[in-house]
Amino acid sequence: MAFFAHQIRRGFSSSAVRNVVIKQVTIIGGGQMGAGIAQVAASTGHSVTLVDTSDDILKKSIKTIEGSLKRVVKKKFADKPEAGEEFIQKVLKNVSTSTDVGSAVQGSDLVLEAIVENLKIKQDLFSRLDKLAPAHTIFASNTSSLPISDISSATNRLDRFGGLHFFNPVPMMKLVEVIGTSTTSQETFDSLLNFSKVLGKTPVSCKDTPGFIVNRLFVPYLYEAIRLYERGHGSKEDIDIAMKLGVGYPMGPFELSDYIGLDTIKFIMDGWREMDPDNTLFAPSELMDKLVAEGKLGKKTGEGFYKYK
Ligand SMILES: CCCCCCCCCCCCC[C@H](O)CC(=O)SCCNC(=O)CCNC(=O)[C@H](O)C(C)(C)COP(=O)(O)OP(=O)(O)OC[C@H]1O[C@@H](n2cnc3c(N)ncnc32)[C@H](O)[C@@H]1OP(=O)(O)O
Ligand SMILES: NC(=O)c1ccc[n+]([C@@H]2O[C@H](COP(=O)([O-])OP(=O)(O)OC[C@H]3O[C@@H](n4cnc5c(N)ncnc54)[C@H](O)[C@@H]3O)[C@@H](O)[C@H]2O)c1
């Protein structure tokens, strides 16, 4: 950590902004990840504004949050259902929704982006936000696979920009990867670390390298699983059982891929192949391409490697 902090500090710019205690959070993108992050931030007393492109999507996000909170209170308030209901209402009160990013970022200490995994779309969003958000506001991206420095390059707040990579499902997964680029200031990095802790998560410090820590190790494993299956070395059911019972993973690679979404996975792999075309690790999978082309994207569409319903 000392070495890493030193590396980060080297890039510290002359910004006058000091440690920001994050109270008010704007989350852009109310999908799987954005809704989960909004839930956890609101549950820990933050004032959250969730932004998406339509009111219908935002209604669905709030329904998802409500459903997940019900699962949380079932355990947390097992003997006190009234207290559980009170908790849910209190948390929901902390979340407001908006389709207007301009007004949503006013007064915000942190803008956390969890929209589609597309560099150009993320850059366009942040470039716009940079002109609208207060000077002290920290920007962060939840990207799984894009360099944070490529996203932040669309802004003039390089010292107040970092990565906060959460894991799916956010309410259950304890880890947050905190990513500092060579220009992220120490103050910004510390604010993001503290924020992750206040959310009840365990942060780890990462450099802005492909896949950070988890996905750098995880992607080769997932991809080798699909190749094993394509070569006929094992059924997907047996590969899943093997990894659950042999290594203690809660989900096998095919179950997990269906859970993450095959479109997200394909998007990430296609992007990495574009950046490093000769790396055999990122070679395309016929089966994955076929499933995505057929709209079999995993749990969310009712079918992926497995059928649901
Ligand atoms: C195959 C080839 C593919 C190649 C592709 C390569 C490219 C890959 C690219 C990477 C993609 C991006 C990845 C991303 O950047 C990073 C990630 O997020 S990776 C995903 C990490 N997540 C996991 O690994 C999840 C592992 N699974 C689990 O931990 C558990 O299975 C689970 C999800 C917690 C569910 O638990 P289970 O025991 O299985 O099932 P239950 O339903 O009984 O749940 C247990 C317990 O948890 C409560 N719960 C579950 N979900 C929620 C929720 N959303 N909100 C609230 N509570 C929840 C549930 O109620 C249960 O509570 P209990 O009954 O015990 O009180
Ligand atoms: N799915 C995962 O397991 C996972 C895990 C960690 C990180 N991530 C990353 O999190 C991000 C979001 O992933 P997700 O799975 O939640 O995606 P998702 O498709 O579930 O949600 C994305 C949401 O963003 C909205 N959106 C798109 N463009 C927008 C814009 N310009 N302004 C406002 N809203 C916009 C969409 O309407 C959608 O509701 C991606 O960068 C992804 O790589 C995903």
Side-chain angles (χ1 to χ4, degrees):
M1 175 64 199
F3 171 73
F4 179 74
H6 169 70
Q7 294 288 94
I8 295 283
R9 210 171 290 119
R10 277 199 318 166
F12 179 43
S13 89
S14 59
S15 160
V17 175
R18 292 289 159 243
N19 271 17
V20 173
V21 177
I22 296 165
K23 294 275 180 209
Q24 205 164 318
V25 185
T26 305
I27 295 166
I28 322 265
Q32 285 194 85
M33 297 305 289
I37 300 164
Q39 177 189 331
V40 172
S43 299
T44 47
H46 298 85
S47 165
V48 177
T49 305
L50 188 57
V51 180
D52 211 301
T53 50
S54 80
D55 285 323
D56 280 350
I57 296 176
L58 287 164
K59 268 188 202 138
K60 214 174 137 205
S61 314
I62 296 295
K63 267 213 163 326
T64 302
I65 294 174
E66 216 173 337
S68 178
L69 281 170
K70 281 186 182 152
R71 296 170 81 171
V72 170
V73 300
K74 214 170 146 194
K75 198 174 336 182
K76 205 169 163 184
F77 297 93
D79 304 327
K80 300 178 197 147
E82 296 88 16
E85 186 50 38
E86 217 174 279
F87 175 76
I88 292 177
Q89 293 313 321
K90 199 171 145 198
V91 173
L92 290 175
K93 256 197 190 150
N94 285 345
V95 186
S96 57
T97 58
S98 175
T99 53
D100 173 18
V101 279
S103 60
V105 296
Q106 295 315 311
S108 185
D109 302 312
L110 170 70
V111 174
L112 178 53
E113 166 275 313
I115 67 169
V116 61
E117 188 74 347
N118 178 302
L119 179 61
K120 174 85 174 60
I121 298 177
K122 286 188 196 284
Q123 284 176 330
D124 285 350
L125 173 72
F126 276 117
S127 162
R128 208 145 59 88
L129 291 174
D130 197 25
K131 296 171 190 92
L132 298 167
H136 82 280
T137 309
I138 293 174
F139 287 180
S141 172
N142 183 51
T143 180
S144 296
S145 66
L146 301 168
I148 301 296
S149 56
D150 284 0
I151 306 173
S152 68
S153 67
T155 73
N156 285 316
R157 57 180 85 203
L158 301 183
D159 56 327
R160 282 152 287 150
F161 206 120
L164 272 183
H165 184 217
F166 289 81
F167 291 79
N168 190 13
V170 181
M172 301 302 297
M173 305 301 283
K174 289 285 171 211
L175 184 72
V176 177
E177 290 180 323
V178 181
I179 302 112
T181 72
S182 60
T183 56
T184 307
S185 73
Q186 188 67 53
E187 283 79 359
T188 296
F189 192 78
D190 289 346
S191 297
L192 293 175
L193 269 182
N194 286 338
F195 175 63
S196 309
K197 287 181 192 160
V198 174
L199 294 186
K201 305 293 184 193
T202 301
V204 291
S205 303
C206 298
K207 289 193 181 178
D208 192 18
T209 53
F212 315 127
I213 295 175
V214 172
N215 283 341
R216 183 66 188 84
L217 296 172
F218 197 49
V219 169
Y221 151 69
L222 284 177
Y223 235 67
E224 194 51 28
I226 195 169
R227 294 196 201 300
L228 208 70
Y229 173 56
E230 282 180 324
R231 287 195 299 261
H233 292 184
S235 71
K236 49 185 191 280
E237 290 81 3
D238 278 351
I239 295 170
D240 276 347
I241 290 171
M243 295 314 288
K244 286 190 284 187
L245 301 188
V247 196
Y249 288 177
M251 287 178 173
F254 296 98
E255 291 170 328
L256 185 58
S257 296
D258 277 355
Y259 192 72
I260 291 168
L262 302 191
D263 52 339
T264 301
I265 288 172
K266 181 170 155 46
F267 212 93
I268 291 170
M269 291 309 294
D270 289 350
W272 285 13
R273 190 177 323 115
E274 227 167 83
M275 286 192 275
D276 192 358
D278 298 329
N279 193 332
T280 52
L281 209 57
F282 307 143
S285 147
E286 260 179 45
L287 177 58
M288 181 74 90
D289 289 351
K290 179 172 171 290
L291 289 171
V292 173
E294 290 170 353
K296 294 174 181 166
L297 307 182
K299 232 176 157 177
K300 61 185 169 189
T301 57
E303 187 170 349
F305 287 112
Y306 295 113
K307 283 198 170 110
Y308 303 85
K309 287 175 205 169

